[in-house]
Amino acid sequence: DASALPFEADNSVSCRLKSQIPDICRTEDCCLGIDEAGRGPVLGPMVYGICFCPISRKEELKDLKVADSKTLTEAEREALFEKMDEAKSYVGWALQVLSPNTISNSMLQRTKYNLNALSHDTAIGLVQHALDCGVQLKEVFVDTVGPADKYEDKLSKIFPGIAVTVRPKADSLFPIVSAASICAKVARDFAVKHWRFGEDLGEVDADYGSGYPSDPKTKAWLLRYLDPVFGYPQLVRFSWSTAQTLMDSRGVTVHWDDDDDDEDGEKAAQRRNNRSMLSYFSAAAGGGSQSGSNQTHRFFSDRKLKSLDTL
């Protein structure tokens, strides 16, 4: 299955999925399209896709009736993906599945790595993957992220000798980009629909709505599965403003002591009659004996975290 196995095993990390490289793509000049699915939703991965075929046969993609994935139903997308798989003698594809965890950690790390930069680097990595596999690329068509002219110039400098075309709505202009769009969307839909929750949430309501922040059903799901201390399941992009706003309003307030404050964190916590964060890590190495009300929270056990008193 296009979108299964590696990501299902561990959906907290990103992975690459790919088809076999058609022999003809190693001997004939080829074109390649790039598109993504799931840039805007607060739930689930973002998937970047490439599709490639010989330039001499790109008109045959039109015969497959590929179109912008957003204009197709889920059933139509899956049927077209199967048709492309049947055309594997001359059509190849690869996908980069970026987990919600990867996206949020990138955006919130100390050195900011925004979604546009992540998108550019992912697209560049997929083009390089095709080249490394021996695909004879001569033309690349890309659905733009950010200003099209700057992105086109950037890609042209990285891949000299390849004619790069970057356009808004490229998925509706170039069949090879439409094909990449379908691959990416089918993979994302599968990942969200068959999401394996690592957290102990019991019977999870899988009716997330569209996954977009403006969808009332999605917002209701976020509220239902918001842990006031540890936040959201890893299906959620916690860097999205919708998720952050709900966490700020419904989560437990955390008091942060300024670095220049003379009072250390433990003393400040005692003064406010709160527990210091350090107190959660003061048990004997290995977690000590835990019983009754002092059971390890699933946040730590899910991540195989244990308390240490020496390093």
Side-chain angles (χ1 to χ4, degrees):
D1 190 295
S3 44
L5 303 182
F7 194 69
E8 279 192 296
D10 185 359
N11 53 30
S12 68
V13 297
S14 299
C15 72
R16 180 171 293 166
L17 310 167
K18 55 187 182 295
S19 70
Q20 295 294 318
I21 306 296
D23 289 339
I24 193 172
C25 292
R26 290 190 169 102
T27 57
E28 288 196 18
D29 291 349
C30 291
C31 60
L32 178 147
I34 306 174
D35 200 10
E36 51 76 24
R39 181 180 172 86
V42 66
L43 300 180
M46 179 170 72
V47 181
Y48 253 83
I50 60 170
C51 193
F52 49 88
C53 73
I55 294 171
S56 63
R57 303 188 68 172
K58 66 180 178 181
E59 289 301 311
E60 293 181 39
L61 285 176
K62 291 182 179 178
D63 297 334
L64 295 179
K65 301 289 192 296
V66 296
D68 174 12
S69 66
K70 292 184 285 295
T71 67
L72 303 169
T73 65
E74 184 175 351
E76 287 171 334
R77 288 191 295 268
E78 290 179 354
L80 282 168
F81 182 83
E82 287 182 12
K83 283 186 178 181
M84 285 190 283
D85 192 49
E86 291 167 4
K88 58 188 174 187
S89 63
Y90 69 95
V91 175
W93 53 265
L95 301 166
Q96 190 72 28
V97 184
L98 299 170
S99 71
N101 226 27
T102 297
I103 295 167
S104 294
N105 286 338
S106 296
M107 294 176 68
L108 295 179
Q109 66 186 25
R110 185 179 294 272
T111 304
K112 297 303 181 191
Y113 185 36
N114 66 33
L115 198 59
N116 279 5
L118 179 61
S119 297
H120 285 194
D121 289 347
T122 303
I124 290 164
L126 284 169
V127 174
Q128 190 61 55
H129 165 74
L131 291 169
D132 292 344
C133 289
V135 179
Q136 299 299 302
L137 289 184
K138 297 299 178 186
E139 299 175 352
V140 169
F141 300 90
V142 188
D143 195 28
T144 194
V145 173
D149 53 347
K150 290 184 179 179
Y151 193 15
E152 185 172 294
D153 184 56
K154 177 180 181 178
L155 292 174
S156 297
K157 288 177 179 176
I158 294 172
F159 301 109
I162 297 176
V164 177
T165 302
V166 179
R167 295 285 184 275
K169 308 296 182 185
D171 46 2
S172 60
L173 298 174
F174 308 106
I176 195 68
V177 180
S178 302
S181 171
I182 289 165
C183 292
K185 182 64 173 160
V186 167
R188 176 182 149 79
D189 286 349
F190 185 95
V192 172
K193 183 182 289 186
H194 299 276
W195 189 268
R196 181 183 296 173
F197 287 89
E199 303 83 5
D200 182 15
L201 301 178
E203 193 69 30
V204 179
D205 179 5
D207 187 6
Y208 318 119
S210 67
Y212 280 85
S214 58
D215 186 337
K217 190 174 283 189
T218 300
K219 279 188 177 180
W221 192 92
L222 287 171
L223 277 171
R224 180 176 177 182
Y225 291 100
L226 168 61
D227 184 294
V229 175
F230 296 106
Y232 299 100
Q234 292 193 27
L235 175 67
V236 180
R237 302 179 191 177
F238 53 84
S239 57
W240 258 230
S241 60
T242 302
Q244 291 182 329
T245 300
L246 292 177
M247 189 67 188
D248 288 343
S249 64
R250 301 298 180 96
V252 174
T253 301
V254 177
H255 299 283
W256 301 101
D257 292 291
D258 294 334
D259 291 337
D260 58 356
D261 194 333
D262 292 335
E263 188 176 36
D264 70 31
E266 291 200 68
K267 289 180 179 177
Q270 290 170 2
R271 179 170 53 79
R272 297 191 183 100
N273 200 28
N274 289 336
R275 291 182 67 184
S276 163
M277 185 68 76
L278 293 175
S279 69
Y280 288 95
F281 301 97
S282 60
S289 62
Q290 297 184 340
S291 61
S293 61
N294 196 30
Q295 290 293 321
T296 300
H297 191 279
R298 61 176 172 76
F299 178 89
F300 300 102
S301 57
D302 287 349
R303 291 160 178 79
K304 309 292 192 295
L305 299 176
K306 294 183 178 179
S307 299
L308 297 175
D309 52 8
T310 57
L311 290 176

